[in-house]
Amino acid sequence: MRDATRVIRAGLPKGSQGDPFLPGPTFAATYHAAGDPASVPHTYGRFHNPTWTHFEQALSELEGGPTIVFASGMAAVSAIFGAVLRQGDVVVMPSDSYYTGRVLANGYFAQMGVQVRAALTAGNAQLAQLNGAKLLWLESPSNPGLEVCDIAALAEAAHNVGALVAVDNTTPTVLGQRPLALGADFSVASDTKALTGHSDLLMGHVAVHDPAWADRIRLWRTQIGAIPGPMEVWLAHRSLATLELRLTRQCHNALAIAQFLARRSEVTSLRYPGLPDDPAYFVAAQQMQRYGPVLSFVLKDRTAAENFLSACQLVHEATSFGSIHTTAERRARWGGDAIPEGFIRLSAGCEDVDDLIADLAQALDAAH
Ligand SMILES: *Cc1c(COP(=O)(O)O)cnc(C)c1O
C-alpha cells in the first residue's frame, strides 16, 4: 500500500456492525477493575488508555516498530535520555540540533554525570566522536539550519562501537524519512509539528526497533506521568489521516517558495534539502522520501528580517512549524542557535502557492 492509503487506514480497529471507524476518545482516570489487576485490560489512566492504543498502533504501522505516545515532543525526547543514559555514559549530540534537547542534555543529564559530546550535523562530523559512546543522537534535517547527515552510515558506525542510535525525525515525519529502516534504534518526533499539523495540540512519540526497549520507554512514561490527554490523541489520530495530503502540498509549496527565494537578490544562504543545488541534497535524496515543509534563508540584518515578517499578510509570524498555516520567524530572537540576526525559518503550509509567493514578494519589496 502507498502512503496516502496507509495513513487513512492506520490504527483503525476491525470494528463490528454499528461501530464508528475511529472510536471516540475514552475519558477515564479509572476503570472497572475488580480482583487481580493482571486480568483486567484497563485499570488506571496513567497506565493505559484505548485511545492511545489505537494511535500507537497507527504510528507503529508507519514507523515499522512498537510506538509509545507522549504528551509532547520533549516528553518523548527525555524518555529516551532517561531510559538509556546513566552516570558515566557518553551521549554524542549534534551541536546544531533542536535547542531544548541540547539544553536538557547539557543541563540536567550532564549534572547527573552523563558526558555530552557535540559535533555538527553536516559532513557526518559526529562519526569522529563515537568511541565509548552509549547513545548517538541525530537530527536530520537539523533544526533550524537544515543540515543533513548520512543516517545509515552513522548508525552502522555507532553499532560497531556498541552505541544505540536515536533520530529526531520531527521535521520530515515518518512519511518523509524512516529512521528505523535506516538502522536507528529509536525514532522520536514532536508530533506537535507536521505529523498532526493544525497548530492546535502538543504531542510526541518514540518508536523502537527492539520491543524490549518499548517496555522500558513505556515504564518511563508510566512512572514520570508524561501522558497525553485522550482528546488530543484522538485529534492527532484524526489528523494523521490527512498527513499524506498535507505533506504533498506542503513539500510542493516549500520547493516552489525556495525556487522563488533563490531568484531574489536580497536573500542569501537559502537552504532547502529538496533543492537540487542545496549542499544537503545528495545525502537527503538517498534517505528521504519527501523533503519536508521547512526552509531557511537570511536577510541583510535584524531590521530587514523584522520588516519582512511584519509586511507579510498570509505568513503568520510564529514559532513552531509543519502546520497547514504557513509560518515564519526570525529565529535569533530566541538565542541559543549559531545563526545570523537576519536568519528566517519558514514553514510552508497548505495555502495556494501563488498566493504565498505573491505575499512573500510584496513583503520582500516592502522590507527594502
Ligand atoms: C518542537 C521540537 C521538539 C520538541 O517538541 P515539543 O512538542 O515542543 O515538546 C523536539 N525536536 C524538534 C526537532 C522539534 O522541532
Side-chain angles (χ1 to χ4, degrees), residues 54-361:
H54 295 312
F55 186 54
E56 289 175 340
Q57 174 60 33
L59 293 177
S60 310
E61 292 170 22
L62 300 171
E63 291 275 7
T67 301
I68 301 97
V69 67
F70 284 89
S72 68
M74 280 311 301
V77 166
S78 37
I80 300 178
F81 287 168
V84 172
L85 297 173
R86 297 290 175 267
Q87 188 176 17
D89 285 346
V90 172
V91 57
V92 179
M93 297 282 297
S95 49
D96 52 353
S97 58
Y98 181 69
Y99 176 64
T100 312
R102 286 185 281 125
V103 169
L104 181 67
N106 290 314
Y108 178 80
F109 283 92
Q111 282 156 23
M112 296 303 283
V114 171
Q115 192 194 325
V116 184
R117 295 183 196 150
L120 289 169
T121 299
N124 303 323
Q126 288 170 279
L127 275 176
Q129 304 288 329
L130 289 177
N131 250 345
K134 175 74 176 291
L135 176 66
L136 169 64
W137 192 269
L138 303 175
E139 186 179 307
S140 180
S142 64
N143 181 15
L146 301 172
E147 296 288 359
V148 163
C149 60
D150 184 335
I151 295 172
L154 279 151
E156 193 186 340
H159 289 154
N160 285 341
V161 300
L164 292 159
V165 179
V167 176
D168 185 331
N169 204 42
T170 299
T171 306
T173 80
V174 63
L175 290 196
Q177 181 166 269
R178 300 269 307 275
L180 300 184
L182 293 166
D185 300 283
F186 304 98
S187 171
V188 56
S190 166
D191 301 330
T192 311
K193 316 292 169 53
L195 190 108
T196 63
H198 287 71
S199 315
D200 57 7
L201 61 82
L202 281 91
M203 193 154 305
H205 76 265
V206 177
V208 303
H209 175 71
D210 175 357
W213 276 109
D215 294 340
R216 286 173 225 159
I217 298 280
R218 194 175 298 107
L219 183 66
W220 174 269
R221 179 182 68 184
T222 302
Q223 292 179 348
I224 296 293
I227 53 163
M231 187 68 207
E232 280 75 10
V233 176
W234 184 83
L235 281 169
H237 201 156
R238 189 186 197 272
S239 302
L240 182 66
T242 55
L243 178 60
E244 198 278 343
L245 267 176
R246 287 184 281 111
L247 265 190
T248 298
R249 173 66 75 90
Q250 285 174 285
C251 295
H252 172 265
N253 287 359
L255 181 61
I257 290 170
Q259 286 163 341
F260 158 75
L261 292 172
R263 294 192 298 270
R264 294 287 305 214
S265 58
E266 62 273 70
V267 169
T268 59
S269 304
L270 173 67
R271 297 301 305 268
Y272 181 61
L275 265 183
D277 53 2
D278 189 280
Y281 181 77
F282 180 73
V283 177
Q286 288 175 332
Q287 66 190 14
M288 299 182 78
Q289 287 76 48
R290 300 158 191 265
Y291 301 104
V294 185
L295 53 97
S296 68
F297 57 98
V298 175
L299 296 179
K300 193 174 90 197
D301 52 21
R302 175 177 172 164
T303 308
E306 286 176 347
N307 290 346
F308 164 73
L309 290 168
S310 46
C312 287
Q313 305 285 316
L314 291 177
V315 179
H316 295 302
E317 184 176 351
T319 195
S320 196
F321 59 86
S323 165
I324 53 171
H325 315 100
T326 297
T327 59
E329 72 172 328
R330 195 179 71 82
R331 193 63 195 167
R333 67 188 174 138
W334 296 98
D337 292 312
I339 47 168
E341 286 292 322
F343 181 101
I344 290 183
R345 181 180 68 190
L346 186 145
S347 174
C350 292
E351 301 92 339
D352 183 280
V353 74
D354 293 335
D355 287 342
L356 292 174
I357 288 176
D359 189 42
L360 293 167

